[in-house]
Amino acid sequence: MSDHRQGPVRSEAARIAVLEATARLFATRGYDHMTMEGVAAEAGVSKQTIYRWWPSKGALIADCLLERRLLPDQLTLPDTGDVRADLTSWIATIFRVLDRAGESLLRSLIAAAAENVEVGQRLHASLGMESSLTDRLRSAIDAGELRADAPLAEIGEALVGSLILRALSRQTVDEAGAARFVTAVLGASRA
Amino acid sequence: MSDHRQGPVRSEAARIAVLEATARLFATRGYDHMTMEGVAAEAGVSKQTIYRWWPSKGALIADCLLERRLLPDQLTLPDTGDVRADLTSWIATIFRVLDRAGESLLRSLIAAAAENVEVGQRLHASLGMESSLTDRLRSAIDAGELRADAPLAEIGEALVGSLILRALSRQTVDEAGAARFVTAVLGASRA
Amino acid sequence: MSDHRQGPVRSEAARIAVLEATARLFATRGYDHMTMEGVAAEAGVSKQTIYRWWPSKGALIADCLLERRLLPDQLTLPDTGDVRADLTSWIATIFRVLDRAGESLLRSLIAAAAENVEVGQRLHASLGMESSLTDRLRSAIDAGELRADAPLAEIGEALVGSLILRALSRQTVDEAGAARFVTAVLGASRA
Amino acid sequence: MSDHRQGPVRSEAARIAVLEATARLFATRGYDHMTMEGVAAEAGVSKQTIYRWWPSKGALIADCLLERRLLPDQLTLPDTGDVRADLTSWIATIFRVLDRAGESLLRSLIAAAAENVEVGQRLHASLGMESSLTDRLRSAIDAGELRADAPLAEIGEALVGSLILRALSRQTVDEAGAARFVTAVLGASRA
DNA sequence: TACTAACCGAGACGGTACGTCGCGTCTTCAC
DNA sequence: GTGAAGACGCGACGTACCGTCTCGGTTAGTA
């Protein structure tokens, strides 16, 4: 009748400790100076326990991303009724929060995404590409701010892509720069 | 009496061998499975010779980028008089050439850029952000295809950024997709 | 009222399975490539069941030795009435049976004995040092083959010791070699 | 003309440090609680440097044995003109020096020999089986203490074998015991 | 009949050590 | 003064077993 496994169950405490240690070390050291041994030590867990549940460093990051442990809550896209202002402040906030000078969290995420499929996809989702960003744009259409036939997906990718490109070439984006992006990309779609 | 250095000068043969080996291994193994020891062996050169002239793996890649050893010639932006067609085919070509299934050259470049300043900046330039792309857009203004006040830099970043975002999330871009990007981003600037 | 334990008793099936698995793995892999986890798996038993009843790998081996599961029956010392012939053929048989080229059972036993007290003592007994060998020598005295004051214990140790030394230095002992040992050691005690 | 390799030469300092650390740890911890990492740390050397020159723990021990770093000098077989006394005191000394109660150096050597060919052979040699012991016996023949046809090799193996057997079964050998061995084994060969 | 302790399998856990890889520095010899 | 060769100290990798532990299920005895 029952198909439950027998034996001890996965330790939730260990799982949490690992994810927290990962988030902490990722934020402080960056993707490629974060080591599995470091995570194990920081989490007070044996290396084997990590490898038992996560096949690689990338999977660990992806999991943190999935559980919203890497990106602060401030990064949620606001909805004040003014798309342009909302997108502008969102972009500026992302940069302010994630892209410190030397070791940038955003750049670390990009590095992780570049070498791990799962992270790539989770990052895509986490930046709102799969819901919140297009949702926001759609609500702008409903509000009559954008034309009904505006290419939402492309607009979203253009905005987030610009962001990532800037992070890669070590250029910051301030409020004014963000506004320029938004204007350039949204221009054609104004109602 | 003389202030000339004495002894042999830098071996051009070694320099070429290293850059070629780097390009070869970068293309086959990707950025982070490419090792300095591997390059030395492949180039038939000692490790010391590499470290004497390049401070890091990133610098090696950046140098290859500078000497146009990593990106094939096909990637130059065409100028047929039709901006939209030119940009579309350029984007599609980049994807066709750089983004093979498993080990993508584009993704490797992104990884390298993410962890090395120099590569980040060289990549930015190599993708045309510093001249050919904006040049092409400017010539489109001259030809009356785009409005005189079109935000060239932002348009360029949006296009290239979209590309990179797609590479990171493992989605391909075909001719049609490229066209959608171009339309979305250029829309506002049509003359 | 009662001081009987309650609950099920020790599973004889598990006990047998463990000892058989131990003997099998000890013979095939040798002492130090035999693992507790391997024994548990081979026996279809949980690790805990092993550790519940045996404190260590050594104890497991010692127990196998005690139950005569490691050494084949052929190794019993014959008694044909001719001590020299009996001892000679016994030694030769031990070597023929226990000391195959690469992974020698005899050498594995020595390794086990070297790092575990109990095994050391069980091995000592199993090789006849505590009864059958001295018994045989004593019966040779009774038969008038040896002098009444022959130092039985020393003779036994000399014979078995020679054997072990040969096993350690990877030299085989054939019938002729065995005969030489017996002659050398028994020589002084001929009646 | 020259067939010399070029490049740096093996560091003698590292070699010595490793052998000394090995001898030290072998003596204090015993064969199987001596770890490669421990040796590396104790020697102030990287693990890789050990593995570059020695394939295994056994090889390390064998090398120490070869360089006479494990067995103290006191163990050389004396030659006072009285074979029986010499052998007796030699055996007693070996036991006094090598076979402390808990962790016996002799037993560790046996364990090492049991699982490593090279150690087995080096140990055989180090205990004098290949020269000093048979030399001593031969000189006893010359001195007329033993019969000319005494089986030297067998006598040697019987003595050393008895020793090893005693070490394995955790029985000590004092002066009197040693004397009994010598008498038993040499008895037949008295001139 | 129900309770309850001791058994059993499975296997997760914190550890220690393994043997390997690549780093960036260094030393040696040849040109 | 370069360059090839490659040894060195170092740090991390991913794996193998250790011995302990926690599970759910099963099996005797009481009570």
Side-chain angles (χ1 to χ4, degrees):
Chain A
M1 176 62 85
S2 158
D3 56 354
H4 293 355
R5 299 192 315 85
Q6 83 188 136
V9 93
R10 173 170 184 182
S11 156
E12 183 66 6
R15 206 190 117 257
I16 300 296
V18 169
L19 291 176
E20 282 176 349
T22 300
R24 205 148 46 235
L25 292 177
F26 185 83
T28 55
R29 307 227 193 290
Y31 180 66
D32 44 299
H33 295 105
M34 176 193 113
T35 69
M36 295 303 256
E37 298 209 326
V39 172
E42 175 89 6
V45 136
S46 90
K47 245 198 307 183
Q48 190 54 50
T49 294
I50 301 186
Y51 282 109
R52 191 165 9 242
W53 303 110
W54 294 276
S56 65
K57 198 161 69 159
L60 213 40
I61 299 297
D63 216 359
C64 282
L65 228 31
L66 185 64
E67 299 216 346
R68 316 200 147 283
R69 300 191 117 92
L70 288 183
L71 303 177
D73 288 338
Q74 334 166 16
L75 299 186
T76 8
L77 220 172
D79 188 347
T80 65
D82 178 352
V83 228
R84 312 175 52 108
D86 287 353
L87 291 175
T88 301
S89 86
W90 179 62
I91 291 179
T93 304
I94 288 183
F95 250 80
R96 198 164 354 92
V97 172
L98 297 186
D99 209 81
R100 288 178 281 293
E103 207 40 68
S104 143
L105 190 49
L106 186 45
R107 222 143 45 223
S108 268
L109 276 172
I110 295 172
E115 63 180 51
N116 185 280
V117 204
E118 234 177 314
V119 177
Q121 274 146 5
R122 293 293 339 144
L123 179 59
H124 199 242
S126 292
L127 287 175
M129 303 301 303
E130 283 169 16
S131 55
S132 63
L133 181 52
T134 33
D135 284 356
R136 181 65 193 83
L137 291 172
R138 207 178 326 272
S139 94
I141 293 180
D142 296 345
E145 290 190 290
L146 295 182
R147 296 170 38 177
D149 62 349
L152 305 188
E154 282 73 19
I155 291 176
E157 301 212 322
L159 284 174
V160 171
S162 302
L163 214 83
I164 285 180
L165 187 55
R166 281 293 180 97
L168 283 181
S169 50
R170 272 78 176 172
Q171 299 170 308
T172 11
V173 175
D174 56 9
E175 201 83 15
R180 274 197 300 277
F181 277 135
V182 175
T183 306
V185 168
L186 243 49
S189 307
R190 266 173 299 191
Chain B
M1 168 100 44
S2 151
D3 59 353
H4 290 3
R5 295 190 310 87
Q6 83 186 150
V9 293
R10 173 172 186 182
S11 157
E12 183 65 7
R15 206 191 116 256
I16 301 295
V18 168
L19 292 175
E20 281 176 350
T22 301
R24 205 151 44 234
L25 292 177
F26 185 84
T28 54
R29 306 231 192 287
Y31 179 66
D32 44 298
H33 296 104
M34 177 193 110
T35 69
M36 297 300 258
E37 301 208 326
V39 172
E42 175 89 4
V45 138
S46 86
K47 272 199 290 178
Q48 186 56 46
T49 297
I50 300 184
Y51 282 107
R52 181 143 37 219
W53 303 109
W54 294 273
S56 67
K57 195 161 72 159
L60 213 39
I61 299 297
D63 214 359
C64 282
L65 226 32
L66 186 64
E67 298 215 348
R68 317 200 147 282
R69 298 192 116 95
L70 288 183
L71 302 176
D73 288 339
Q74 332 166 17
L75 298 186
T76 11
L77 217 171
D79 186 349
T80 64
D82 179 351
V83 228
R84 312 175 53 107
D86 287 354
L87 291 174
T88 301
S89 85
W90 179 63
I91 291 179
T93 303
I94 288 183
F95 249 82
R96 198 163 356 90
V97 173
L98 297 186
D99 209 80
R100 289 179 280 294
E103 208 40 70
S104 147
L105 191 49
L106 186 43
R107 224 145 39 224
S108 271
L109 277 171
I110 295 172
E115 63 182 49
N116 185 281
V117 206
E118 231 176 318
V119 177
Q121 275 146 4
R122 292 289 342 140
L123 179 60
H124 200 241
S126 292
L127 286 176
M129 302 302 302
E130 283 169 15
S131 54
S132 64
L133 181 52
T134 33
D135 284 356
R136 181 67 192 81
L137 291 172
R138 207 178 326 271
S139 93
I141 293 180
D142 296 345
E145 289 190 291
L146 296 181
R147 297 168 37 177
D149 62 349
L152 304 189
E154 282 74 19
I155 291 176
E157 300 213 323
L159 284 174
V160 172
S162 302
L163 213 81
I164 285 181
L165 186 55
R166 282 293 181 97
L168 282 182
S169 52
R170 273 77 175 174
Q171 300 170 308
T172 11
V173 175
D174 57 8
E175 201 83 16
R180 273 196 300 278
F181 277 135
V182 174
T183 305
V185 168
L186 245 47
S189 307
R190 266 173 300 193
Chain C
M1 167 88 58
S2 153
D3 57 357
H4 289 2
R5 300 190 308 88
Q6 86 187 143
V9 294
R10 172 173 187 180
S11 155
E12 183 65 7
R15 205 191 118 257
I16 301 295
V18 169
L19 292 175
E20 281 177 348
T22 300
R24 204 151 43 237
L25 292 177
F26 185 84
T28 54
R29 307 231 192 286
Y31 179 66
D32 43 299
H33 296 103
M34 177 194 111
T35 70
M36 296 301 259
E37 301 209 325
V39 172
E42 174 90 5
V45 137
S46 86
K47 271 200 290 180
Q48 186 57 47
T49 297
I50 300 185
Y51 283 107
R52 184 154 25 228
W53 304 109
W54 293 274
S56 67
K57 194 160 74 159
L60 212 40
I61 299 296
D63 215 359
C64 281
L65 225 33
L66 186 63
E67 298 215 347
R68 316 200 149 282
R69 298 191 116 93
L70 288 183
L71 303 176
D73 289 340
Q74 332 167 17
L75 298 186
T76 12
L77 218 171
D79 186 348
T80 64
D82 179 351
V83 228
R84 313 176 51 109
D86 287 353
L87 291 175
T88 301
S89 85
W90 179 63
I91 291 178
T93 303
I94 287 181
F95 249 82
R96 199 165 353 91
V97 173
L98 298 186
D99 209 80
R100 290 180 279 294
E103 208 40 68
S104 146
L105 191 49
L106 187 44
R107 224 143 42 222
S108 272
L109 277 170
I110 295 172
E115 63 181 50
N116 185 280
V117 204
E118 230 176 319
V119 178
Q121 275 147 3
R122 294 284 347 137
L123 179 61
H124 199 242
S126 292
L127 286 175
M129 302 302 302
E130 284 168 15
S131 55
S132 64
L133 181 53
T134 33
D135 285 356
R136 181 67 192 81
L137 291 172
R138 207 178 326 272
S139 94
I141 293 180
D142 297 343
E145 290 190 290
L146 297 181
R147 296 168 40 176
D149 63 348
L152 305 189
E154 281 74 19
I155 291 178
E157 301 212 321
L159 285 175
V160 172
S162 302
L163 213 81
I164 284 179
L165 186 55
R166 282 293 181 98
L168 283 181
S169 51
R170 273 77 175 173
Q171 299 170 307
T172 11
V173 175
D174 57 8
E175 202 82 18
R180 272 197 301 276
F181 277 135
V182 174
T183 306
V185 168
L186 246 47
S189 308
R190 268 172 299 193
Chain D
M1 173 67 81
S2 158
D3 57 352
H4 293 355
R5 296 193 316 87
Q6 83 188 137
V9 92
R10 173 173 185 181
S11 157
E12 184 65 7
R15 206 190 116 257
I16 300 295
V18 168
L19 292 176
E20 281 176 350
T22 300
R24 205 150 44 235
L25 292 177
F26 185 84
T28 54
R29 308 227 193 289
Y31 180 66
D32 43 298
H33 295 105
M34 176 192 114
T35 70
M36 296 302 256
E37 298 209 324
V39 173
E42 175 88 6
V45 137
S46 89
K47 246 197 308 183
Q48 190 54 50
T49 295
I50 301 185
Y51 282 108
R52 186 159 19 236
W53 303 109
W54 295 275
S56 65
K57 196 161 70 159
L60 212 40
I61 299 297
D63 216 359
C64 282
L65 228 30
L66 185 62
E67 298 215 346
R68 316 200 147 281
R69 298 191 118 92
L70 288 183
L71 303 176
D73 288 339
Q74 333 166 17
L75 298 185
T76 9
L77 218 171
D79 187 347
T80 64
D82 179 351
V83 228
R84 312 176 52 109
D86 287 353
L87 291 175
T88 301
S89 85
W90 178 63
I91 291 178
T93 303
I94 288 182
F95 250 80
R96 198 163 355 91
V97 173
L98 298 186
D99 209 82
R100 286 179 283 292
E103 208 39 67
S104 144
L105 191 50
L106 186 44
R107 223 144 43 223
S108 269
L109 275 172
I110 295 172
E115 63 181 49
N116 185 281
V117 204
E118 233 176 316
V119 177
Q121 274 146 5
R122 294 291 339 144
L123 179 60
H124 200 241
S126 292
L127 286 175
M129 303 302 301
E130 283 170 15
S131 55
S132 63
L133 182 52
T134 33
D135 284 357
R136 181 65 192 83
L137 290 172
R138 206 178 328 271
S139 94
I141 293 181
D142 295 343
E145 289 189 291
L146 295 181
R147 296 169 38 175
D149 62 349
L152 304 189
E154 282 73 19
I155 290 176
E157 301 213 321
L159 284 174
V160 172
S162 303
L163 213 83
I164 285 180
L165 187 56
R166 280 294 180 97
L168 283 181
S169 49
R170 272 77 175 174
Q171 301 170 307
T172 11
V173 175
D174 56 9
E175 201 83 16
R180 274 197 299 278
F181 277 135
V182 174
T183 306
V185 168
L186 243 48
S189 307
R190 268 173 298 191

